[in-house]
Amino acid sequence: MIDDSKARSDQSTLIRIITWFLFVVAIFSVCARLGTRYVSTRRLGRDDLFVMVAQVSLLAQCIAVSTATSQGLGKAWNILPDSSINGILKAEYASTPLFILTLALIKWSLSVFIQSLTPSDFHNRLNFGLRLFVVAWAFSSILISLFQCQLPTPWRYVDSERCIDRRAWWTYVVTLNAATECFTVGLYLIIFYTIRVPWKRKALVLSVFSTRLLVVAAIVVQLVFFRHEGQFSDSMSISTILNQTILALSVVTACVPYLRHFMESLEADVVHVAGTPIPDEESFRRDRSGSDRHFLKNISGSTANCADSHNRNSQRKSSATSSAWPLPSSTCLPPA
């Protein structure tokens, strides 16, 4: 009876399986993103670099979680020797800064992508403020996690007299994590709301970038669960699974906008604003991949050029003789 009860309470294997499954999902998402980006533009951007570094951090974090499960994470605490508990706490101590660092790198990747979207000074000021806030949040959160308890055993938070209020600290980490996610989604909505495309297509664009709200939902569940459990309990396995879910969702939703069919549909619809077709696919790719260009700036510039061309054609047509016809623009269709 006792052995059966211990076996049922042993969730170490389940935690390990979920951790590595979610990591594989994140890796496949990043590979799909990088492949799509390279095929579309023949280059990778700075935002892709941040995502790749985030995957290295995520890998190290998953290794730390696996180490904790090998020490007994997922088992009932009352059957574990003090050495195993100490090993779990050390592994958690190592994984927490990596957890925060991974999230911060993903947020910076999104910020770099936002910068490439628009030349607007207002948007870029908001984006710069977001970057500074993410750096301050990550630095302060990691610093506190490293010195949460007195030396020489800063990982042993079971001795609450020697440690900070972990509930208040984790509430700070999680709340600001959710706030930065909401701000990022709001900035996306502000930028893409101004794009002159049909509302059906605009709704698709906004819905794709709003998938980051799934991360916010997971963060809320994480916060509610943490505030209802103790500092240190047998339900620590659920907290670990929630952490891994948030990391995986953060990576996957950062890669969703790079799905090939979505990118092609977005680019095709946006550059056809005001009846403006793409001159040719290769020149469009070169224009998109230029380091000194912005996507929305290119769109507005292309539309303006076509409008100027139509105006010049109309003027030539009105002043030409009956035997002289205005030359049509090679890159713009006549206005409807």
Side-chain angles (χ1 to χ4, degrees):
M1 291 284 294
I2 296 179
D3 291 339
D4 290 343
S5 177
K6 289 181 179 179
R8 286 194 297 270
S9 65
D10 186 359
Q11 299 177 340
S12 301
T13 303
L14 177 63
I15 295 174
R16 190 180 299 113
I17 291 174
I18 291 176
T19 295
W20 288 110
F21 171 76
L22 293 175
F23 175 75
V24 171
V25 170
I27 286 294
F28 275 122
S29 300
V30 171
C31 290
R33 167 191 172 134
L34 297 179
T36 301
R37 182 68 172 268
Y38 186 78
V39 169
S40 300
T41 65
R42 294 295 186 267
R43 65 188 290 272
L44 297 178
R46 287 187 300 149
D47 52 337
D48 300 313
L49 178 61
F50 280 107
V51 169
M52 289 187 285
V53 175
Q55 292 311 290
V56 176
S57 177
L58 178 57
L59 174 61
Q61 194 269 346
C62 290
I63 292 174
V65 172
S66 292
T67 302
T69 59
S70 66
Q71 293 292 324
L73 176 63
K75 297 180 181 179
W77 288 97
N78 56 7
I79 67 172
L80 294 175
D82 189 66
S83 60
S84 294
I85 293 177
N86 202 46
I88 293 173
L89 296 177
K90 286 182 179 179
E92 184 188 4
Y93 178 77
S95 70
T96 301
L98 294 170
F99 171 83
I100 298 171
L101 178 61
T102 302
L103 293 176
L105 289 170
I106 293 297
K107 294 176 192 294
W108 261 70
S109 171
L110 296 173
S111 177
V112 172
F113 178 65
I114 289 174
Q115 183 180 8
S116 70
L117 287 175
T118 173
S120 168
D121 291 337
F122 173 69
H123 296 159
N124 285 324
R125 282 194 295 268
L126 292 177
N127 191 32
F128 183 72
L130 173 63
R131 292 188 189 186
L132 292 180
F133 192 85
V134 169
V135 170
W137 165 76
F139 180 79
S140 60
S141 300
I142 292 175
L143 186 65
I144 294 173
S145 73
L146 294 176
F147 298 99
Q148 58 185 312
C149 299
Q150 294 180 10
L151 299 175
T153 56
W155 59 84
R156 196 169 178 82
Y157 60 81
V158 291
D159 302 325
S160 57
E161 301 84 16
R162 303 173 53 249
C163 303
I164 63 172
D165 184 350
R166 281 179 53 84
R167 179 169 294 182
W169 164 70
W170 192 246
T171 301
Y172 163 80
V173 173
V174 173
T175 301
L176 294 189
N177 184 25
T180 53
E181 292 294 343
C182 291
F183 187 88
T184 301
V185 172
L187 192 51
Y188 274 132
L189 298 182
I190 291 173
I191 292 173
F192 281 96
Y193 183 81
T194 60
I195 296 180
R196 295 169 52 197
V197 295
W199 270 104
K200 182 178 180 181
R201 184 61 60 190
K202 184 179 294 188
L204 173 62
V205 173
L206 297 180
S207 64
V208 167
F209 286 99
S210 296
T211 55
R212 294 294 298 180
L213 294 177
L214 295 175
V215 181
V216 178
I219 292 171
V220 171
V221 173
Q222 179 193 44
L223 179 60
V224 171
F225 182 82
F226 179 80
R227 293 192 64 83
H228 281 80
E229 73 169 20
Q231 294 256 46
F232 164 80
S233 68
D234 292 344
S235 58
M236 188 176 176
S237 57
I238 300 179
S239 297
T240 303
I241 293 173
L242 287 174
N243 286 347
Q244 303 311 118
T245 302
I246 289 172
L247 288 173
L249 280 175
S250 184
V251 173
V252 171
T253 54
C255 298
V256 167
Y258 290 84
L259 295 177
R260 181 174 180 81
H261 293 297
F262 171 74
M263 286 187 69
E264 291 178 346
S265 177
L266 173 63
E267 291 170 347
D269 281 333
V270 170
V271 298
H272 278 81
V273 172
T276 308
I278 306 173
D280 60 79
E281 183 179 4
E282 188 60 31
S283 63
F284 177 72
R285 286 177 175 174
R286 288 196 301 269
D287 192 52
R288 274 289 283 123
S289 61
S291 58
D292 58 341
R293 302 296 186 97
H294 294 85
F295 189 23
L296 299 186
K297 184 177 181 181
N298 292 340
I299 295 167
S300 60
S302 177
T303 305
N305 290 338
C306 290
D308 291 341
S309 177
H310 295 321
N311 292 335
R312 288 195 300 269
N313 287 341
S314 298
Q315 292 173 1
R316 286 200 301 267
K317 184 175 181 179
S318 61
S319 61
T321 62
S322 59
S323 60
W325 292 88
L327 296 175
S329 171
S330 61
T331 59
C332 303
L333 291 177

